[in-house]
Amino acid sequence: MTVSAVFGSKSALAALRAHRWASTTDTFEFADIAPVHRAFPGVVQGAYDVAELALVTFLQALDNGRPVTLLPVTLLGRFQHHCLVTAREPGNIAVDSLAGKRIGVRAWTQTTGVWVRGFLRDDHGVDVGDVEWVVYEGGHVDGFADPPYATRSTSGNTLPVDFLAGAVDAAILGNELPDDPRARTLLPDPARAAAAWYGRSGAIPVNHVVVASDDFARTGAGLLTEMCQVLAASVPHPPAVSSSPDFHPHGFDALQPSLDLAGRYAYEQGIISRPISAAEVRARTEELTGVDFGRLAAPARRAG
């Protein structure tokens, strides 16, 4: 069986290429698309058997009846409190005075933006409708319209360029954050704020997960189970005795707090039409695959 796949995670790609599969006839054909989010519109249409996908894009796809199935493996997870940044002078902008300010975000449906707006509302009482959001591209699920308080940039620049030029008061930037001394976090101690948020929510702000097309979920359950085990082992996890959070939760048991909170945040921000729970996602995945993905065991090794 040849499995079409697209992944941006280097560790995931390396693990899938190196693993000796239980069935010697299974091979992967990887699409070369970088950055990986350019592949997401095709992923939500079921164009690949297995793929990396942003969590909120998956929730949107599920809400809109697209043929994708979540596999409970986190490829990218991190605290997001440091991603809210400003290039203004200290004192010009603060987290408790964001009403009326211009905040840039790559896309309204970007997963990092959803997590940041969620903690701004929960922990700081920020009404997202009171902020002027400046977006630079659309989402990955066709037919979605940005809310009226999110306007498309007409500058012709990327968000990092506009951010440093002062065209926005603040920005939500993850991997695109410029290495520039003018960039500073809006929260004075984002690490402490993130730890407190985690203590209250028990959730990891998951960015990228693994999905399968619905068709492949129905027919390739054995390979998908093995693949999930391989991918779960490809990312770092803290020791069992550590008190550090696991930023790569795998299995629906571990993912449940993150899925539930992401489903609520996406609904509150108008990205999906209803709250989507971890229980709903799990039931759908396990019905299609016939596999209990509550936990993921270590990958099986083929002899020889």
Side-chain angles (χ1 to χ4, degrees):
M1 178 188 300
T2 299
V3 181
S4 61
V6 61
F7 287 88
S9 166
K10 292 180 180 179
S11 63
L13 282 168
L16 292 173
R17 285 173 169 148
H19 182 70
R20 303 185 68 191
W21 300 96
S23 170
T24 57
T25 62
D26 291 331
T27 59
F28 283 81
E29 184 177 275
F30 295 102
D32 184 13
I33 301 176
V36 71
H37 67 76
R38 292 179 179 170
F40 291 173
V43 173
V44 301
Q45 295 295 341
Y48 302 92
D49 294 322
V50 293
E52 181 173 340
L53 187 65
L55 176 58
V56 171
T57 302
F58 164 75
L59 292 172
Q60 255 199 308
L62 177 61
D63 187 45
N64 286 274
R66 301 299 192 268
V68 288
T69 301
L70 181 69
L71 303 174
V73 179
T74 302
L75 296 180
L76 175 61
R78 65 187 176 204
F79 286 140
Q80 311 282 4
H81 290 63
H82 67 286
C83 296
L84 180 62
V85 293
T86 183
R88 302 287 187 185
E89 290 299 319
N92 285 359
I93 183 171
V95 72
D96 58 354
S97 61
L98 293 179
K101 297 295 193 295
R102 287 167 54 85
I103 301 181
V105 62
R106 179 168 58 82
W108 180 254
T109 58
Q110 183 185 17
T111 299
T112 294
V114 171
W115 285 116
V116 170
R117 292 190 298 264
F119 79 68
L120 284 175
R121 171 176 171 155
D122 282 359
D123 294 354
H124 301 281
V126 175
D127 186 334
V128 296
D130 291 340
V131 175
E132 183 181 347
W133 299 93
V134 183
V135 300
Y136 287 74
E137 60 185 64
H140 304 297
V141 178
D142 58 352
F144 177 78
D146 292 337
Y149 38 81
T151 58
R152 188 67 64 91
S153 170
T154 58
S155 70
N157 299 322
T158 63
L159 173 55
V161 170
D162 275 356
F163 168 69
L164 290 177
V168 292
D169 297 299
I172 299 173
L173 290 168
N175 296 334
E176 311 96 339
L177 180 64
D179 183 14
D180 189 288
R182 289 171 290 177
R184 59 178 63 86
T185 59
L186 195 58
L187 295 174
D189 190 345
R192 182 177 180 181
W197 179 89
Y198 173 70
R200 292 189 296 272
S201 69
I204 294 297
V206 170
N207 277 60
H208 287 191
V209 291
V210 181
V211 298
S213 71
D214 284 359
D215 285 344
F216 196 66
R218 292 186 184 97
T219 61
L223 180 56
L224 285 179
T225 302
E226 188 176 0
M227 188 194 73
C228 285
Q229 293 167 348
V230 170
L231 290 174
S234 75
V235 291
H237 303 281
V241 296
S242 173
S243 60
S244 299
D246 185 351
F247 288 103
H248 299 92
H250 57 277
F252 280 114
D253 292 349
L255 264 176
Q256 179 261 320
S258 301
L259 276 174
D260 280 341
L261 195 55
R264 174 168 74 83
Y265 282 174
Y267 170 68
E268 291 173 347
Q269 295 170 33
I271 293 170
I272 55 179
S273 64
R274 58 189 173 81
I276 293 177
S277 69
E280 176 186 344
V281 175
R282 178 175 183 170
R284 184 178 187 277
T285 296
E286 295 183 352
E287 179 181 4
L288 284 173
T289 62
V291 176
D292 181 352
F293 280 114
R295 298 184 181 184
L296 294 175
R301 297 291 181 182
R302 183 166 62 86

